[in-house]
Amino acid sequence: MTRRQPSRRPSTVRRLRATSAGLATGLLAAGLLAAPAGAQSRTDTSPSPGAPIGTVARTVGDARFEPGPCPRTPEPIEALKDARCGTLTVPENRAAASNRTIKLGVAIVPAATDKPKSDPVVWLAGGPGDDAVGEAQMAIDGGLNRDRDVIFMSQRGTYSADPNLLCPNIDEFNARSVGLVYDAPSTERLHVEATKACRDKLAARGIDLGAYNDIESAADYEDLRAALGIKQWNLFGISYGTHLALAYMRLHPEGLRSVGIDGILPPSKAGSAATWSSARQGFDGLFKACAQQPACNKRYPNLPATFDKLVRDLEAKPVTTTVTLPGSDKPVKVVLDGGALVNWMTSATHVAPQVPAALDELAHGKPQRIARQWAGGKLSPQAIGRVAHGLAYGVFCSEWTPYETQAEALKGGQETFPTFPRSVQAQAPQLTFLRPDCDAWNIPAAPPSIRDVTRGDIPTLALSGGFDSQTGADNGPYVASTLSRAKVVTVPYEPHVVFATSKCAQDITASFFDTPTTPKTECLKTLEAPEFEIAP
C-alpha cells in the first residue's frame, strides 16, 4: 500500500517511484462509448491459436478490446519497446443505469522465449493509484516475462486511463507540507481542503467517484481476460495490488491458474490499525538486525529506545531545519515532529543500512539527513501529477473507513506503540487524517462482503519482506490460513515489495509460475543482513 499526503503513500524510499510512476492520458479520446453489448465489428474475431494475445479486436458482453498505440508514459520505458498495446472499454459503473464508459490502457510485453506458455502473467500495480504500465520495467527487469507474456493494464482512474483521477493539487500540497508541523490541526485543515478541491474538480467532470474500487477493477480485469480470449492466466500483485488480487480471487476465481502476492495487504484487515502493526514489525526487524551486528550494536545501542525518545521529544518540540535537494540550489524548509519521524521511518526501511546512523545524527542535533530524505520524496518531479488519488480514496473511503471505527484506529496505535504521544497515535502511518479526508470524499460504503476473507485452493505465493514496515510479514500466514495451496515466503532483511529489491525473490517468483505447487526457495539460505553504516 502506498499513500501520499493527503493520499499519502510511503513509496520506496518511495517504492521505486521513478520507475513505477504511471502513464499519461493523451492517448485516449474522451467520450467514446463501447460498442453495445454483443455488437461485432468486421475486425472482431476469436483469437486463433497462433495469434499473439492483444492483436485482435474483440467485444465480449459490455467490454471491448481494440489494438492500438501503447499508453504514453511520463518517461520512455524500454520494456515497452516491443509491446503489443491497445485499450479496453468497459462500463464505468456496472451497477448503474448509465451508459457512461471508461477506457483503460493495455500493454502486453512478449515472453523472452520463442515458445511462450499459453497462460500469461497479469501485473497488478501498487497504490492505490499507481498505473501498472508505468511499472513494466520493474516487472521485466525481474524476469517476469521469462516464459510468459506479461500484461499491464492501467487500473481505472490511473494515469493512462480515460478518465484519470489524478489530483496534482494534492501532490503540490504534499511538497509544501514538508515545512508544516505534520499532525497539527492547521495542517489537517489544509490537508482536507486539498482533498475536497480534488473531489470537487473530479465530480464536476461527471465522474462517478463511487465506481472506483476493487469490485469494479476486478471486473475490469476479468473483462480483459475474456476480451483477449485467454482461458486462464496468472496474477502477480505488489503492495496494494495484493489487495486487488485477493478481491479478484474471491470474486472471479474461475480464470486463475495461480496468484503471486508481494507486500500483502488483505482487504479483510486493511485499515489504520493494521498499518501500526506493520510499522512495528518492520521497525523491529531492522532494529534487531542492527543489534545482532557487533559493530552496529556497539555504535548504536538500544535503537528502539532512541527512536521512541525521538518521537516523543520531536512531538513535544518539533525541529525546523533547511536543506537543499539534489538538482536544486533552492533551500527547502523542513519541519520534523514525531509524526513525521514515524512516517519517514516507515519508508526508510528501504535504505535500512543508513537508518541507525540517521537516527543517531538526529539524536545529536543533526537532522539534515532525515530532513533531506523526508523532503526529497515529496518534492521530486516524479511525485507530481502521476498518482490517481481519486482511486486511492475510492478504495480507502468505501472499503476501509466504513468498517473501522475511529476508536479502533486509535487503539491500534495505542497498543502497538503505547509510549507514543496520543497525537502521534491518532494518525496512523501512511494514512494521516484519513477519516476527515473520507468525510470530504463522501462516497457510499462498499458492500460488507468486500471485507470477506479470501478462501479457496488457487495456488498462491505469499511473499513478504522481513523489514517491511508498510505491509507486515504476518500478513503472509494470515492469508495462507484460508488458502489451502498457499506457500508463505518471508525474505529476510528486505523492505516492502521484495520482487523490486531481491534477486532471490525474483527467482522464487519465476519458479512459482513454473510449478505453483513447489516453488524453489533454496536461495533464502544464502541471504545475509546488510552491513549497517557506522559513523565515526
Side-chain angles (χ1 to χ4, degrees), residues 280-361:
R280 174 98 268 177
Q281 292 173 66
F283 299 173
D284 286 353
L286 191 157
F287 293 153
K288 181 179 179 182
C290 173
Q292 290 175 339
Q293 281 185 21
C296 190
N297 188 50
K298 181 179 180 180
R299 179 65 180 81
Y300 310 112
N302 204 358
L303 271 178
T306 298
F307 177 68
D308 183 271
K309 185 175 188 302
L310 281 168
V311 171
R312 289 184 282 112
D313 289 350
L314 288 173
E315 190 68 5
K317 188 176 181 181
V319 167
T320 300
T321 189
T322 301
V323 298
T324 55
L325 302 177
S328 174
D329 295 329
K330 183 180 178 181
V332 176
K333 173 188 170 185
V334 180
V335 177
L336 295 176
D337 64 356
L341 184 64
V342 169
N343 280 269
W344 166 81
M345 183 69 182
T346 304
S347 291
T349 50
H350 289 274
V351 289
Q354 297 184 39
V355 167
L359 290 173
D360 184 71
E361 288 170 4

Side-chain angles (χ1 to χ4, degrees), residues 243 246 265-271 403 450-454 478-479 482:
H243 191 283
L246 288 161
L265 181 63
S268 51
K269 61 186 285 193
Y403 299 104
I450 195 64
R451 305 286 294 189
D452 286 353
V453 169
T454 300
Y478 173 82
V479 298
T482 54

Side-chain angles (χ1 to χ4, degrees), residues 445-517:
S449 60
I450 195 64
R451 305 286 294 189
D452 286 353
V453 169
T454 300
R455 304 178 184 276
D457 60 358
I458 298 169
T460 304
L461 175 65
L463 281 168
S464 299
F467 287 176
D468 189 345
S469 53
Q470 297 166 230
T471 56
D474 68 347
N475 287 329
Y478 173 82
V479 298
S481 67
T482 54
L483 296 170
S484 62
R485 300 172 74 191
K487 172 71 173 178
V488 177
V489 176
T490 298
V491 183
Y493 318 121
E494 292 292 339
H496 186 55
V497 183
V498 294
F499 185 89
T501 55
S502 167
K503 179 64 165 60
C504 179
Q506 294 167 359
D507 291 344
I508 292 169
T509 301
S511 72
F512 168 75
F513 287 125
D514 283 346
T515 54
T517 54

Side-chain angles (χ1 to χ4, degrees), residues 222-233:
E222 188 63 3
D223 279 349
L224 179 66
R225 185 180 69 84
L228 293 178
I230 298 170
K231 183 178 179 181
Q232 271 198 327
W233 63 12

Side-chain angles (χ1 to χ4, degrees), residues 170-298:
I170 286 179
D171 302 321
E172 291 158 2
F173 174 79
N174 293 343
R176 296 196 308 272
S177 71
V178 301
L180 304 176
V181 175
Y182 184 81
D183 50 18
S186 55
T187 305
E188 176 180 353
R189 185 169 58 254
L190 294 170
H191 184 291
V192 177
E193 284 176 5
T195 300
K196 188 174 187 307
C198 168
R199 186 203 190 282
D200 291 347
K201 181 178 178 181
L202 296 176
R205 289 164 52 192
I207 295 169
D208 181 352
L209 297 177
Y212 292 79
N213 55 52
D214 283 341
I215 294 172
E216 292 287 356
S217 289
D220 295 340
Y221 280 94
E222 188 63 3
D223 279 349
L224 179 66
R225 185 180 69 84
L228 293 178
I230 298 170
K231 183 178 179 181
Q232 271 198 327
W233 63 12
N234 308 276
L235 301 182
F236 190 73
I238 63 165
S239 192
Y240 157 73
T242 69
H243 191 283
L244 177 56
L246 288 161
Y248 188 169
M249 291 168 72
R250 187 172 56 79
L251 295 168
H252 306 284
E254 56 277 2
L256 298 179
R257 171 182 175 264
S258 69
V259 177
I261 47 178
D262 176 3
I264 303 164
L265 181 63
S268 51
K269 61 186 285 193
S272 296
T275 68
W276 280 116
S277 172
S278 293
R280 174 98 268 177
Q281 292 173 66
F283 299 173
D284 286 353
L286 191 157
F287 293 153
K288 181 179 179 182
C290 173
Q292 290 175 339
Q293 281 185 21
C296 190
N297 188 50
K298 181 179 180 180

Side-chain angles (χ1 to χ4, degrees), residues 83-138:
R84 304 184 296 272
C85 297
T87 56
L88 182 75
T89 305
V90 292
E92 182 180 46
N93 188 336
R94 292 169 175 84
S98 168
N99 64 354
R100 181 182 169 96
T101 60
I102 61 176
K103 287 179 176 286
L104 310 176
V106 178
I108 303 168
V109 175
T113 179
D114 291 335
K115 295 183 179 180
K117 307 286 187 184
S118 62
D119 50 300
V121 177
V122 182
W123 179 274
L124 302 181
D130 287 351
D131 191 320
V133 187
E135 295 182 343
Q137 198 66 50
M138 186 199 314

